[in-house]
Amino acid sequence: MGFLISLVIGLIVAGVVVGSMVSKLKTVHMQKGAAAYTVHNSMNLTVNRDVFLGKKVEKTPRNTQTQQKR
Amino acid sequence: MSEVNEYKCPCCGARLEFNSAAQNMKCPYCDSEFPVSTVENYNVELNNASGDDMSWESSGGTEWADGETANMKVYTCKSCSGTIIADETSGATSCPYCGNPVVMAGVFSGDLRPDRIIPFKLDKNAAKAALTKHIESKKLIPKVFKDQNHIDEIKGLYVPVWLFSAEADTNMCFRAEKKKRWSDANYNYIETSYFQAVRAGKISFAQVPVDGSSKMPDDLMESIEPFEFTQAVDFNTAYLSGYLADKYDVTREQSVGRANERIKTGAEMAFRDTVTGYDTVKCESSSVKLNNAKSLYALYPVWILTTTWEDKKFIFAMNGQTGKFVGNLPLDKGAAIRLFALIAAAVTAVCFVISLILSGMGG
């Protein structure tokens, strides 16, 4: 049992380390948006309104997986 | 005949139905209920924030003066059909995009004269050092790839870009949720509160670049951003001396779509940042109208190197102004598997020994 847990930990750590190294090989990607080209202090907010629409409560029995909705 | 409106559920986006018993609008999919007036206002705001007006003044680039291009020669690549410009003294021998030999096709003529240029700030030695560092810092690339790289062939290239500047007049609706969790003896509860956040206002963008060369990969060019436009100067052919230059083959009109996409996303991200205090925020609708929308044609400095490995082309690029270096590298699968096995074995052994020691202390 102790060996199995150790093996799982070993596989996870190896996966994280190697996965991190693999992800660093890709450095080319398209930009999202144009944040770097925003004119400093140019943003002027004229409407700033948050409206509450409603709420919903979901309850789940603590000892089962069954989900009930009210 | 009256118009039949369809109202969207603020929770799941499905079509709401009127529930006569509850006198509310009810969602048949998620069972959420909302007062009629709330739903009506919610949908009115959504409709207000839809439809863009993103048109641009036709500007950017000027005509060449007589004799200005006399010393500029055009070289074409027979392999990728790239067209490169170099001055008479510098010349060009190989294509910066594919590495194959180029031939001189004649004297440069036609096309538009760039409005501005950012001159190279970093020299070839800085580019070579950055490339060496870029490769050496990566552990899982094939050894043979490191051996085969021909760093000396890195080339300074002015890449044509269209620059777009505008004020974005925006109107946006975000759907936001706040969750509250608690439990009693029998149940776990999750209460989700739904909000509509309406934002409107203006934000300006200056010199958003769009790659004007079909040979230069768009993702590569955007990966070495940002460029600092304040260091741009009026174009002069003297800046091309010692470097190669590409001429645009993606027109301003063809670049507008990408510029609009970047500006709209940029505006959405900026206004989204003002919707705070929620667990989730999602942009549901947005409209952007551009004011004072103008464009420029410019040349940006890029150090570029092409390497072919196992019949696959790898292009590296460095921002010739800031030194930002990018380029995807191949994965040595064998090395990755060996490293994975080594780390897994080592960590497993250490954990197992620790578990034995702990169980020995416990027993």
Side-chain angles (χ1 to χ4, degrees):
Chain A
M1 190 64 183
F3 178 75
L4 277 178
I5 294 170
S6 302
L7 182 63
V8 169
I9 294 171
L11 292 174
I12 291 171
V13 171
V16 169
V17 172
V18 174
S20 163
M21 285 179 173
V22 171
S23 69
K24 283 177 184 159
L25 297 179
K26 186 171 167 57
T27 52
V28 175
H29 54 83
M30 296 293 276
Q31 293 283 339
K32 265 189 184 176
Y37 303 99
T38 307
V39 176
H40 187 57
N41 284 336
S42 67
M43 190 168 162
N44 178 23
L45 203 60
T46 53
V47 176
N48 184 2
R49 186 172 64 243
D50 289 13
V51 181
F52 173 69
L53 299 171
K55 66 171 73 169
K56 194 168 77 175
V57 179
E58 290 174 77
K59 63 177 184 180
T60 316
R62 294 192 75 167
N63 297 325
T64 69
Q65 295 297 314
T66 313
Q67 194 179 51
Q68 295 177 348
K69 285 181 183 174
R70 198 182 65 171
Chain B
M1 197 173 134
S2 65
E3 192 182 334
V4 179
N5 289 321
E6 281 196 3
Y7 294 115
K8 281 174 73 177
C9 172
C11 297
C12 69
R15 183 170 166 265
L16 290 172
E17 291 171 356
F18 182 70
N19 185 294
S20 57
Q23 290 292 298
N24 271 341
M25 298 299 285
K26 187 170 182 179
C27 177
Y29 293 94
C30 70
D31 284 339
S32 301
E33 284 185 37
F34 301 94
V36 176
S37 59
T38 302
V39 169
E40 203 158 34
N41 290 336
Y42 168 77
N43 281 271
V44 165
E45 294 289 2
L46 276 185
N47 292 333
N48 284 345
S50 62
D52 296 327
D53 178 7
M54 303 182 81
S55 51
W56 294 84
E57 286 176 25
S58 182
S59 59
T62 53
E63 297 297 322
W64 293 95
D66 285 344
E68 196 176 8
T69 61
N71 292 331
M72 291 161 61
K73 306 294 182 196
V74 176
Y75 297 82
T76 56
C77 174
K78 297 290 183 193
S79 178
C80 74
S81 64
T83 305
I84 300 302
I85 301 159
D87 71 0
E88 218 164 24
T89 50
S90 307
T93 54
S94 61
C95 175
Y97 295 122
C98 70
N100 287 304
V102 292
V103 293
M104 195 170 80
V107 177
F108 175 76
S109 64
D111 290 320
L112 294 171
R113 181 184 189 275
D115 299 300
R116 308 278 279 178
I117 184 170
I118 296 179
F120 274 91
K121 299 284 178 200
L122 298 166
D123 62 12
K124 190 169 185 173
N125 288 335
K128 283 160 66 177
L131 176 58
T132 305
K133 190 179 164 194
H134 182 71
I135 290 174
E136 284 181 353
S137 65
K138 307 293 184 293
K139 306 292 179 202
L140 298 178
I141 60 172
K143 199 164 181 291
V144 65
F145 185 83
K146 287 184 183 178
D147 298 340
Q148 282 182 354
N149 69 69
H150 42 95
I151 293 173
D152 282 343
E153 290 184 32
I154 197 162
K155 291 180 175 64
L157 174 71
Y158 280 108
V159 177
V161 289
W162 294 100
L163 304 173
F164 295 87
S165 303
E167 180 191 66
D169 195 343
T170 65
N171 196 346
M172 297 182 181
C173 280
F174 298 89
R175 191 179 71 182
E177 293 179 12
K178 233 183 233 184
K179 288 190 188 296
K180 193 174 148 190
R181 293 179 173 81
W182 73 94
S183 302
D184 61 18
N186 299 317
Y187 292 99
N188 295 318
Y189 298 88
I190 302 175
E191 180 189 88
T192 309
S193 299
Y194 298 93
F195 297 83
Q196 183 181 47
V198 184
R199 299 288 184 274
K202 293 176 179 174
I203 185 168
S204 296
F205 295 90
Q207 321 303 351
V208 178
V210 178
D211 180 12
S213 166
S214 62
K215 296 292 170 204
M216 184 71 174
D218 292 348
D219 54 0
L220 191 71
M221 197 60 193
E222 290 193 10
S223 295
I224 57 173
E225 289 183 18
F227 287 87
E228 187 54 62
F229 188 75
T230 53
Q231 294 176 358
V233 295
D234 287 340
F235 176 77
N236 189 314
T237 53
Y239 290 110
L240 303 185
S241 180
Y243 300 99
L244 305 174
D246 194 356
K247 59 177 187 173
Y248 75 89
D249 59 355
V250 178
T251 63
R252 190 194 72 95
E253 288 70 25
Q254 290 169 323
S255 304
V256 160
R258 177 62 185 150
N260 286 348
E261 188 183 343
R262 292 191 70 175
I263 287 173
K264 182 164 181 168
T265 307
E268 280 176 5
M269 288 164 75
F271 281 84
R272 183 195 170 112
D273 285 346
T274 68
V275 184
T276 55
Y278 300 100
D279 296 310
T280 61
V281 177
K282 186 183 167 196
C283 183
E284 282 200 300
S285 63
S286 69
S287 72
V288 174
K289 182 183 174 227
L290 296 182
N291 302 320
N292 200 22
K294 289 179 179 169
S295 56
L296 286 177
Y297 172 38
L299 295 179
Y300 276 3
V302 179
W303 286 100
I304 185 168
L305 179 72
T306 307
T307 296
T308 303
W309 181 71
E310 287 190 349
D311 295 331
K312 204 175 166 192
K313 194 171 74 176
F314 293 87
I315 305 182
F316 303 93
M318 185 178 100
N319 184 320
Q321 182 189 32
T322 66
K324 185 176 180 185
F325 199 100
V326 299
N328 291 340
L329 287 159
L331 170 69
D332 183 342
K333 288 178 184 167
I337 291 168
R338 283 194 298 276
L339 185 66
F340 180 89
L342 189 70
I343 295 171
V347 174
T348 302
V350 170
C351 289
F352 187 55
V353 168
I354 291 171
S355 72
L356 287 178
I357 294 169
L358 290 176
S359 63
M361 287 169 69

